[in-house]
Amino acid sequence: MIQHSQVIVERVLNKINGIQKILVGFSGGIDSTVLLHALYLIRQQQLPSLEIRAIHVHHGLNSKANEWEQHCTQLCLQWDIPFICRHVVVDSSQKGIEAAARDARYQAYREELQGGEVLVTAQHLDDQAETFMLALKRGSGPAGLSSMPELLAFTACSGSTWLLRPLLTTPRIALEAYMQEQKLSWVEDDSNQDDRYDRNFLRLNIMPILVERWPHFSSAVARSAALCAEQESLLDELLKDTLENMMDYRGGLFIDDLKTCSSSKRNALIRRWVGLHQLPMPPFNQLERIWQEVALARQDADPICQLGQFEIRRYQGALWVVKRINSLVNQQFEWNFPDVFELPGSLGILQIMEGEGQIRPPKPDEIVTIRFGLQGTLNIVGRHRSRSSKKIWQELGVAPWMRERVPLIYYNDQLITAVGCFITPEGLVDEASLGIAIDWQKEGEFKMLN
């Protein structure tokens, strides 16, 4: 085997040591073609038990997208690699088209990954240098300047796994040499020549000048990124116990504890707290907004700081991360009782536990519906007089943003229970009968507060 190919194959082999099942992000471009072909050679020559699958994400953004899918399909047939193509819809209404396409792509990866499978992608040394420069442009701190780690914990729908980037120390020129040596074909995305996009602008106009002046510039930038990552890792270690002591068991971060810290330490703690929720790292100006506009807002306010599809909120003296969902108020959903019911808005599922609760079962002529948004004045079991819905939520300690997300169960038009919160007198089982319980299995961030 010729030199460039041999070096890259050995590098990939070293990085995947011990991994048995791999899902490769395969766009059909030079980078992912080199990666997939190297894995194909490794399986063919050294690790015949290695299980490889390739996933191609069809974004629908380019007129040649169908041709790219066909190209990737043919290569995978030739190399006997199972191929998956996922068609996605890219929603750029909340962010730029590049970021939205990336989000859609990684969501497809999350959904496709199987148990025990590791996601492997083809980012290389030049990508790392560009990522560092983009973070520098945004004014990022050490966390952002750390750029891309080679190995990263990754949460898939099938469970926790890893994201591995085995080519991260390999320059683009070496990948191009590999393609020539192996006489491989690839697809060219013409949008890569559009320098309206920040990364393309850097790649086409800035990086060539820097590399011409300093040939090892990309390697030096990668070393700086690695040093930033090392410093962040040290801070993680030093602040781990402090952060744990400042957090509510449900994931909130106590504001009074943060007030005792210097601004530098406070920002570092908030960054790590945000990171625990697997959100993008907020830049300095957003950290200031979280502290000044949310944590220090007047007591009667309901402040919000938006972080992409999530919000930072304040409740009971703590900061909370809350996922934004479309309002469900005034909507109702018929429940084919007692089947398991999947709630809208990724709120989780409801299921019945017979003979284990205080809720009366519905009568044969009663239609069971699920609604959201408690309103008006009502009586609940355990209280001697009626109260407003706002007062009930306050007494029960339900956070403001959860009040429109708690499922309300109705029999016909009679409110029976707010799941996990209260039962109305009309929903209480009599002593001579067996009652039911309704188990709400929440998902993700909705496990925080009940």
Side-chain angles (χ1 to χ4, degrees):
M1 189 179 292
I2 307 174
Q3 184 179 8
H4 286 290
S5 301
Q6 183 68 45
V7 169
I8 289 176
V9 168
E10 289 180 356
R11 182 171 294 164
V12 173
L13 176 61
N14 180 60
K15 299 299 181 182
I16 66 166
N17 182 38
I19 298 175
Q20 299 296 318
K21 299 172 64 178
I22 287 174
L23 178 68
V24 182
F26 184 40
S27 69
I30 288 178
D31 314 338
S32 61
T33 300
V34 168
L35 176 59
L36 190 62
H37 186 263
L39 289 166
Y40 158 70
L41 292 180
I42 289 168
R43 186 189 65 182
Q44 184 182 55
Q45 300 171 3
Q46 301 180 65
L47 297 176
S49 64
L50 181 65
E51 297 181 33
I52 308 169
R53 297 194 304 146
I55 178 171
H56 176 82
V57 178
H58 188 303
H59 298 91
L61 298 175
N62 193 292
S63 60
K64 297 180 180 178
N66 291 334
E67 296 176 22
W68 299 344
E69 178 186 345
Q70 185 176 6
H71 171 86
C72 293
T73 302
Q74 290 302 315
L75 280 183
C76 287
L77 282 171
Q78 179 181 334
W79 298 337
D80 192 25
I81 294 173
F83 176 76
I84 309 103
C85 181
R86 293 289 299 271
H87 289 243
V88 299
V89 176
V90 178
D91 179 10
S92 60
S93 61
Q94 299 294 324
K95 54 180 70 175
I97 190 70
E98 289 177 290
R102 183 187 183 280
D103 286 352
R105 184 163 61 252
Y106 276 83
Q107 181 58 33
Y109 296 160
R110 287 186 178 89
E111 293 172 358
E112 185 59 41
L113 276 161
Q114 298 175 355
E117 204 169 38
V118 172
L119 175 63
V120 179
T121 58
Q123 289 90 352
H124 50 73
L125 182 65
D126 298 68
D127 291 328
Q128 182 77 310
E130 292 161 7
T131 300
F132 182 95
M133 298 292 282
L134 290 170
L136 197 63
K137 184 266 295 182
R138 291 192 298 268
S140 300
L145 295 175
S146 299
S147 303
M148 296 178 286
E150 188 173 76
L151 185 64
L152 177 69
F154 191 79
T155 302
C157 295
S158 59
S160 298
T161 184
W162 297 94
L163 165 59
L164 174 65
R165 301 179 175 102
L167 300 178
L168 205 54
T169 58
T170 303
R172 182 183 288 115
I173 191 171
L175 303 181
E176 293 170 349
Y178 183 110
M179 295 291 287
Q180 292 175 1
E181 291 171 6
Q182 295 293 330
K183 297 181 173 57
L184 300 175
S185 60
W186 67 92
V187 300
E188 287 283 0
D189 185 348
D190 51 11
S191 68
N192 289 335
Q193 302 303 311
D194 187 350
D195 64 6
R196 290 176 300 174
Y197 299 119
D198 288 347
R199 186 175 289 273
N200 289 347
F201 179 79
L202 271 175
R203 181 179 300 156
L204 298 171
N205 303 316
I206 305 302
M207 298 302 290
I209 296 173
L210 294 172
V211 172
E212 182 180 3
R213 174 75 180 193
W214 301 293
H216 300 293
F217 181 80
S218 294
S219 296
V221 168
R223 284 197 299 274
S224 293
L227 289 171
C228 288
E230 184 178 295
Q231 292 298 309
E232 280 298 290
S233 179
L234 176 60
L235 280 175
D236 287 343
E237 183 179 334
L238 294 174
L239 294 175
K240 180 176 181 294
D241 290 342
T242 302
L243 181 59
E244 288 179 354
N245 291 332
M246 287 186 173
M247 287 178 59
D248 179 277
Y249 72 95
R250 299 162 296 178
L253 183 62
F254 294 123
I255 293 169
D256 283 347
D257 289 343
L258 291 171
K259 288 179 179 178
T260 66
C261 301
S262 67
S263 60
S264 298
K265 185 175 182 180
R266 182 179 67 238
N267 287 341
L269 287 164
I270 293 175
R271 284 193 189 98
R272 278 148 187 81
W273 173 70
V274 167
L276 287 176
H277 292 275
Q278 299 182 336
L279 302 186
M281 200 56 58
F284 178 78
N285 64 327
Q286 263 190 321
L287 286 173
E288 284 298 297
R289 286 191 58 209
I290 290 170
W291 184 245
Q292 296 293 336
E293 299 179 16
V294 181
L296 301 184
R298 68 179 191 275
Q299 290 302 309
D300 60 345
D302 183 21
I304 300 171
C305 179
Q306 185 173 327
L307 281 179
Q309 296 300 310
F310 292 81
E311 297 170 343
I312 306 297
R313 308 280 294 255
R314 186 188 67 189
Y315 179 65
Q316 291 184 337
L319 296 172
W320 302 90
V321 171
V322 181
K323 185 176 182 180
R324 298 170 59 219
I325 64 170
N326 294 327
S327 176
L328 296 168
V329 176
N330 298 324
Q331 296 187 52
Q332 69 178 51
F333 306 86
E334 187 168 336
W335 185 357
N336 186 22
F337 197 88
D339 294 348
V340 171
F341 186 89
E342 183 176 350
L343 292 165
S346 299
L347 289 175
I349 62 172
L350 300 179
Q351 57 186 8
I352 299 303
M353 302 169 66
E354 296 185 4
E356 298 187 23
Q358 296 180 299
I359 303 170
R360 70 172 179 86
K363 299 172 183 177
D365 62 346
E366 289 180 320
I367 297 173
V368 182
T369 57
I370 300 169
R371 310 179 192 185
F372 297 88
L374 189 65
Q375 298 175 0
T377 300
L378 67 154
N379 290 306
I380 65 173
V381 172
R383 300 293 193 274
H384 297 299
R385 56 185 177 82
S386 61
R387 287 165 169 76
S388 69
S389 57
K390 181 178 181 180
K391 186 68 174 176
I392 288 173
W393 289 136
Q394 288 174 339
E395 290 180 357
L396 295 173
V398 177
W401 59 87
M402 286 297 294
R403 296 171 189 176
E404 293 184 358
R405 307 181 188 201
V406 173
L408 307 175
I409 309 301
Y410 283 76
Y411 296 169
N412 292 336
D413 286 321
Q414 176 62 57
L415 175 62
I416 299 300
T417 180
V419 179
C421 296
F422 64 79
I423 304 171
T424 65
E426 294 80 5
L428 187 65
V429 69
D430 61 60
E431 295 181 357
S433 304
L434 286 177
I436 61 171
I438 301 177
D439 181 34
W440 180 10
Q441 296 185 9
K442 307 181 185 72
E443 295 182 5
E445 64 282 351
F446 298 111
K447 294 179 181 178
M448 294 189 314
L449 294 175
N450 194 351

